Amino acid sequence: MKAFIPTGDPAEPVVLADVPEPTPRPNEALVKVEAFSVNRGETFKLEKPASGDRPGKDIAGLVVQSAADGSGPSGVTRVVGHPMEGGWAEYAAVPTDALAELPDTVSVLQGAALPLAGLTALRLLRAAGPVLGRRILLTGASGGVGHFVTELAAAAGAQVTAVTRNVDRGARLTELGATEIVQNVTAAQGPYDIVLESTGGETLSLALARLARRGTLIWFGQASRTPATLDFFDFFSGPESAVVRHFHYLDADSRLDDDLAALVRLTAEGRLHPEIGRVTDWADTATALTDLRDRRIRGKAVLTLS
């Protein structure tokens, strides 16, 4: 089968190659991939790939071989999947606990845009606790996670201040329910009950300063790729006794398949809207990766297999 493999070359991060079709484990279904999406974090990993790396975590397509242990979807079923690797290919072996069925009302493009960003947003808000009536500051809001967080948090009754330098993205976040858009975290007034921080570097300390006493900052990314520096005494000037919590979307009590199914249901009901910035044939994957890395794509880049 055809699959993308990393090159380690920034100018052409992946190349299309002939590789063996995967042999599913007993708890895995074989999925014929119809669309996959890429995440900016995946572009970082492609800079220094390890031997044998096979990228691809967000896919949608058809189950063509059910799991041998009888778990998961059976027969030819439309699904969205979140394998840990190997999704940028014609076929992927996916654990059945990382699959959810797609109804006809949700396209494969929407499905492929859901997994990593949607799971992160859903689990991030669960980690934040009840948000009804609470003020939330969200940094790095123009990405896929930011759109999902904004829409889900606003629907749950939160007042969301979204930080994005992009005016068009800010307008869209307002449509999704953001109460306020600021182009820099220094323009955010506060205090905020919850800060959801994905940028790192100086932004983290600036966002922390806008947190209310005994508030919570959840650190779920470092898109700036710059370490943050915190000063113990800064907490006394506002966010006294605040909690700074590290977050990893895979460290959760819920199952991937259940959460994927919840995201699919919300999308089917018109309550969640995956943001797709570009749809193109998978032959253009290398170009899409470099554009995403260089921030020329806003929203998800979804590649279709034709």
Side-chain angles (χ1 to χ4, degrees):
M1 69 171 186
K2 298 290 186 182
F4 285 100
I5 60 173
T7 65
D9 179 1
E12 190 178 19
V14 294
V15 294
L16 195 60
D18 290 311
V19 302
E21 188 176 300
T23 302
R25 296 183 176 90
N27 68 327
E28 293 179 333
L30 186 65
V31 177
K32 186 181 190 310
V33 180
E34 295 185 337
F36 62 83
S37 69
V38 297
N39 300 284
R40 193 158 181 261
E42 290 175 300
T43 69
F44 297 158
K45 189 175 180 181
L46 289 173
E47 293 173 6
K48 294 182 179 179
S51 177
D53 273 1
R54 288 278 309 283
K57 291 188 173 185
D58 291 1
I59 68 168
L62 290 173
V63 171
V64 293
Q65 180 180 318
S66 303
D69 66 2
S71 62
S74 59
V76 179
T77 306
R78 299 176 74 243
V79 292
V80 54
H82 189 53
M84 291 299 102
E85 63 175 358
W88 300 354
E90 290 183 296
Y91 294 91
V94 187
T96 55
D97 63 1
L99 287 172
E101 293 191 29
L102 276 181
D104 292 339
T105 52
V106 179
S107 71
V108 291
L109 301 180
Q110 292 174 304
L114 282 174
L116 195 150
L119 289 166
T120 300
L122 182 67
R123 292 175 168 186
L124 186 62
L125 286 171
R126 286 180 182 156
V131 298
L132 178 62
R134 307 189 78 186
R135 298 191 68 195
I136 295 177
L137 177 63
L138 172 65
T139 67
S142 61
V145 175
H147 282 87
F148 285 136
V149 166
T150 298
E151 190 166 22
L152 291 170
Q159 300 178 61
V160 180
T161 295
V163 183
T164 175
R165 289 189 174 91
N166 185 284
V167 175
D168 291 339
R169 292 291 94 192
R172 178 57 178 151
L173 290 164
T174 299
E175 292 174 359
L176 294 174
T179 306
E180 181 184 20
I181 305 296
V182 295
Q183 293 187 301
N184 192 293
V185 71
T186 56
Q189 295 300 308
Y192 296 95
D193 304 297
I194 301 165
V195 170
L196 304 177
E197 214 294 287
S198 65
T199 305
E202 184 185 23
T203 298
L204 189 143
S205 57
L206 290 170
L208 178 65
R210 285 148 178 79
L211 189 62
R213 179 173 178 266
R214 296 187 180 180
T216 298
L217 182 148
I218 304 180
W219 191 2
F220 71 98
Q222 190 162 293
S224 69
R225 311 181 78 178
T226 304
T229 301
L230 298 179
D231 188 326
F232 174 82
F233 295 100
D234 287 343
F235 285 75
F236 292 104
S237 35
E240 187 174 7
S241 301
V243 173
V244 177
R245 174 177 173 177
H246 175 264
F247 173 86
H248 180 213
Y249 84 104
L250 287 178
D251 182 17
D253 296 328
S254 53
R255 290 167 52 105
L256 283 172
D257 53 354
D258 289 339
D259 286 350
L260 283 171
L263 294 167
V264 169
R265 175 177 56 80
L266 290 169
T267 303
E269 293 172 354
R271 298 164 63 189
L272 194 64
H273 299 84
E275 294 293 308
I276 300 174
R278 179 183 297 178
V279 179
T280 188
D281 183 85
W282 73 329
D284 295 323
T285 296
T287 301
L289 287 172
T290 54
D291 285 352
L292 184 65
R293 179 196 63 201
D294 299 336
R295 297 182 182 271
R296 289 194 290 263
I297 298 176
R298 299 290 176 178
K300 278 283 191 176
V302 180
L303 291 300
T304 59
L305 280 67
S306 60

